[in-house]
Amino acid sequence: MITIGQLARYVGVSVKTVRVYHAKGLLPEPDRDASGYRRYGADDAIDLIKIRTLAEAGVPLARIRDLRSATDEEFQQALREIDGELTARIRGLRATQERLRRLAAGRLAPLPAEVGAYLEDLDRWGFTPRWVDLQRDLWILVFATHPDRAITLFHDQAEILADPALRQLFLGYDHAYDLDADDPRVDDLARRIAEAHRERYGPGELPLLDAGSEIPGLIQGTVNASSPAWRRLDTLIRGHLDV
C-alpha cells in the first residue's frame, strides 16, 4: 500500500490532481489507516493511469466519470470514438502547422494555378497594380476560409471578366478609385453595374459563401475603406438592387 504522494509520483500527476479526481467522483477515496492516512493499492494506480490517459486525450472529466460504470464493450467503443476524435484533431493541427509554415515563408495561402493566371490576365487587361494586389489578397482570404465554395465563386468571377462588356464595368470600378465620391460618373457606373447584375443573376442576390458568413462583409468593407468613391459605389449599387 502506498500514500497519495507516492501514487501521484508513480503515475505522473500532482497530489492536487488526485484530490480533484476524488472530489469529482472519478477516483474513489480509499479507507484511511490507523494513522489517518489514505493508502492506495495497485487497482487505484491502474484506475489513475486510465483517468490520466483519457484526460490527456482531451476527454472531459464528466465523460470519464461516466465511463467508470461502462461495460467493457461500451468502454472499448468509447475508446474507438475518442481515437477517431484524436485523429481528426491531429489532422486539424497538422493543417494549422502547415498554415503557420506558409505564413513564416510569406505565403498566406496557396492559390490554384488558374487564379494566378487570372491575376496575370487582370494586369494584361489594364487593371491597376492596386486592383490586382487587392484581388490577390481577397482570393487568398476566400480560399483560406471557404475552400469548399471558393472555386465556384472564382469561376463565376472569371466568367464575368471574360466578357468584354462586363470587364469594362470592372475596369471602371477600378479606375473610379481616385474620383471624388460625388462625381456624376460614380452614379452612372453604379447604375450600369446594377443593371448588369440584374441581367446576370435576376432579382436575387449574388452567390454567397454560406449563410451567416462574415467574410463577404469583411471583403466589401476592405474595398470600401480603400476609397470614398468605392464606398459610395457600393452604397449606390445596393440602393439600386434594394439589398
Side-chain angles (χ1 to χ4, degrees), residues 5-6 12 35 43 61 86 108 145 157-158 162 164 190 204 222 224 231 236:
Q6 290 171 316
S35 301
D43 288 344
L61 296 185
L86 274 176
L108 296 183
T145 57
Q157 180 78 7
T222 300
N224 290 350
R231 184 163 56 251
L236 291 172

Side-chain angles (χ1 to χ4, degrees), residues 146-169:
H146 294 77
D148 55 328
R149 294 280 293 123
I151 197 65
T152 299
L153 294 175
F154 168 72
H155 286 159
D156 182 69
Q157 180 78 7
E159 185 178 307
I160 290 173
L161 269 291
D163 183 320
L166 296 178
R167 187 190 311 149
Q168 287 301 314
L169 291 178

